[in-house]
Amino acid sequence: MMHSKFNFPILLGNLALGLAALGSATAYAENVKIGLLADMSGVYADVSGKGEIVAANLAIADFLKKTPGWKVELLTGDHQNKPDIASSRARQWIDVDHVDMVMNGANSATGLAIAKVAAQKKVIDFDTGSATTRLTNEDCTPYTVQYVYDTYMLSIDTVRALVARGKKSWFFITADYAFGHSLQASASEAIKKDGGSVKGSVRHPINSSDFSSYILQAQSSGANAIGLANAGGDAINAIKAAHDFGLTKKQSLVGLLLFINDIHSLTLPVAQGMYLTTAWYWDMNDKTRAFAKRYFAQMQKMPNMAQAGTYSAITTYLNAVKSAGTKNSDKVMAVLHKTTINDLFTANGSIRKDGKMLHQAYLMQVKSPAESKYPWDYYKVVETLPRDQVAIPLSESTCPLVTKS
C-alpha cells in the first residue's frame, strides 16, 4: 500500500511531463510563420506584388479549413528589387521573427540573396519569381526550391520550338542583370545547337522607359526573331516600342518571360501573334478556373503563373510540415523530396535533389482580337512541354548536391 502511494505521484508527474512535452511539440508544429518578399512598388509589382499576397492568403485559408487548430502567419515585405534589402529583411525575419520558411517573388538577384541567407540559417526557401538557373546549379542549397520557372524552361523550349518552325536567326534585347544574362545565354546556346544563329544583342538597365534605340538595332540586325530577355514593365515598354516602329510586320517578337498581366496591359491588338512559354494558364481546366475566379474577386484581374505557383508552393510546404510532424527544415525537406504534387498548378509535380520543381509547361501564342471570345481569353496552346524537357538534365547539372554517375 505504501509502495503504491509512494509511486503514484511520481507516475502522475512523469505523465504530466510527457503530456507537456507532447503538447509543446504539437504547438510547435502547429504555429507556422512564412515570410514573403516581393516587388510591391517597382517594375514587377503587377506580376508579383499584391497578387502573390492574395494567392498566399488563399492557400493558407484553404489549408486551415482542412487543418483546424493550426495557426499560420504570413509576413510580407517589399524587396524593391534590391539584393541588400532582400537579404537584410530575410535575416531579420529569421533571426528576430523566427519565420519557418521564406519566399521570393520576382527578381533573380533578390532570389539569390535570399537563398544565401536561408542556407546559412538552415531555413527553407521557396522561390516563385527567380528565373536564373544559378538557384539550382552552382548556387543550389539543401533548402531552396525553385518552383515556377527558370531560364531553361523559358528560353530553351521556346526557341527550339520556334527554330523548328523556321525562326532561325535571332537578336536579343536583354535586361542587364543576372536574370537577363542567364535567359539570353540559355536561349543562344539552344538556337545554335538547333542550327540557328544569333545576329546580335543589346542590354538595357532595369526599369527602362525608352526602348527606341534598342528596337532600331533589332530591326537593323535582319534577324527574323527578336527575343525579349526581360520582364515586367521592361517587356511591356519594349513590345510597345516594337509595335510603334512596325517591327512585328517583318520580324517575330518572342517574349521569353511574359505574364498574362503584360498581355492585358498591352491589349491584344498590340500583343497578338507573340510567342511565349508559361508554366500555367488560368483557363486550362476546371481547377484553374475555380482558383482564378476566387483570385479575380479580390484583384479584378486573372492570376499569372507566379501567383498560382505561390498558392501551390505554400500549400505544398504546409502539407509537408503536417506530414513531417515538425518544422525542422531537414525533415520537412526530406518529405518534400518524396512528395508528388497534384493541385491546380501542376499534375505529378516533384522536387529534385537540386531543388528544381518539375512540372509541365506550355508554348503559347497570343490570340488576335477576333480569336478571343471572352475577357482574359488571351492564349492558344501551340505545344505542351512535358516535365522532363523543361529542366536542365541532372547529367548537366553543376549543383554540388547532385551526385554525378
Side-chain angles (χ1 to χ4, degrees):
M1 188 74 170
M2 287 181 63
H3 181 72
S4 175
K5 287 181 179 179
F6 181 78
N7 283 282
F8 189 63
I10 296 176
L11 290 171
L12 280 177
N14 287 340
L15 179 61
L17 287 172
L19 289 172
L22 179 61
S24 176
T26 302
Y28 180 79
E30 291 179 355
N31 289 272
V32 182
K33 279 189 178 182
I34 297 170
L36 170 60
L37 279 167
D39 179 2
M40 303 294 180
S41 56
V43 67
Y44 304 132
D46 191 36
V47 300
S48 174
K50 183 183 176 182
E52 292 197 345
I53 296 174
V54 168
N57 280 321
L58 286 173
I60 291 169
D62 287 349
F63 176 80
L64 292 177
K65 284 180 183 177
K66 298 177 181 178
T67 318
W70 282 53
K71 179 182 177 182
V72 180
E73 183 178 353
L74 180 69
L75 283 66
T76 63
D78 186 356
H79 58 46
Q80 300 177 40
N81 295 306
K82 296 177 180 178
D84 57 335
I85 292 177
S87 59
S88 177
R89 179 60 66 88
R91 188 173 288 109
Q92 176 189 327
W93 278 349
I94 294 168
D95 291 342
V96 179
D97 298 297
H98 307 296
V99 299
D100 305 296
M101 187 264 274
V102 290
M103 298 187 70
N104 175 66
N107 195 298
S108 292
T110 59
L112 289 166
I114 293 168
K116 184 176 181 180
V117 173
Q120 291 172 348
K121 304 293 184 178
K122 296 185 177 181
V123 168
I124 292 175
D125 163 40
F126 271 77
D127 198 303
T128 60
S130 294
T132 178
T133 55
R134 286 171 56 185
L135 277 178
T136 53
N137 272 299
E138 63 266 36
D139 293 321
C140 73
T141 85
Y143 304 103
T144 295
V145 179
Q146 190 171 27
Y147 206 84
V148 179
Y149 53 79
D150 65 9
T151 54
Y152 188 96
M153 182 198 92
L154 296 168
S155 60
I156 290 180
D157 289 298
T158 305
V159 301
R160 280 178 176 169
L162 293 176
V163 168
R165 287 167 169 78
K167 310 297 183 184
K168 293 188 178 293
S169 61
W170 289 68
F171 184 93
F172 289 96
I173 298 175
T174 303
D176 192 11
Y177 69 105
F179 153 68
H181 302 168
S182 180
L183 199 57
Q184 180 185 327
S186 298
S188 298
E189 184 179 355
I191 290 165
K192 293 171 184 176
K193 278 185 179 180
D194 286 9
S197 62
V198 178
K199 298 293 186 181
S201 65
V202 62
R203 291 180 176 179
H204 67 82
I206 190 173
N207 206 14
S208 294
S209 58
D210 185 2
F211 277 81
S212 56
S213 64
Y214 309 132
I215 294 300
L216 289 172
Q217 290 181 63
Q219 279 184 318
S220 64
S221 71
N224 53 30
I226 310 302
L228 300 179
N230 52 20
D234 288 331
I236 290 173
N237 289 335
I239 295 165
K240 286 180 178 178
H243 182 264
D244 291 343
F245 278 89
L247 180 145
T248 53
K249 294 178 181 178
K250 295 182 179 179
Q251 297 163 294
S252 294
L253 205 56
V254 182
L256 296 180
L257 179 52
L258 280 178
F259 296 89
I260 196 167
N261 314 66
D262 304 325
I263 306 303
H264 187 73
S265 296
L266 289 163
T267 72
L268 291 184
V270 175
Q272 63 180 315
M274 285 193 67
Y275 291 93
L276 60 98
T277 294
T278 185
W280 186 87
Y281 178 46
W282 74 270
D283 203 16
M284 293 297 289
N285 55 53
D286 289 343
K287 283 185 178 181
T288 59
R289 285 187 284 270
F291 170 71
K293 182 178 180 180
R294 296 172 62 202
Y295 178 96
F296 189 90
Q298 296 192 44
M299 291 294 295
Q300 301 304 303
K301 61 182 69 174
M302 288 301 180
N304 61 40
M305 62 175 165
Q307 290 151 354
T310 295
Y311 176 97
S312 177
I314 287 182
T315 302
T316 298
Y317 170 73
L318 291 173
N319 284 333
V321 171
K322 182 179 178 181
S323 178
T326 176
K327 296 187 294 183
N328 177 276
S329 294
D330 293 307
K331 293 180 180 179
V332 174
M333 285 303 305
V335 171
L336 287 169
H337 284 301
K338 296 176 182 177
T339 297
T340 299
I341 304 165
N342 287 297
D343 60 12
L344 61 88
F345 182 75
T346 190
N348 299 316
S350 62
I351 299 170
R352 291 194 315 198
K353 62 181 71 177
D354 61 350
K356 178 63 182 172
M357 202 277 266
L358 300 179
H359 53 75
Q360 75 294 322
Y362 308 94
L363 177 65
M364 300 287 200
Q365 188 174 27
V366 179
K367 290 183 176 182
S368 69
E371 292 173 310
S372 179
K373 303 304 180 185
Y374 39 85
W376 296 86
D377 175 26
Y378 294 159
Y379 296 161
K380 54 186 176 184
V381 178
V382 177
E383 187 175 338
T384 299
L385 309 170
R387 61 196 296 277
D388 59 346
Q389 293 182 20
V390 298
I392 296 173
L394 288 181
S395 60
E396 300 175 15
S397 175
T398 59
C399 173
L401 301 173
V402 177
T403 302
K404 300 293 175 64
S405 57

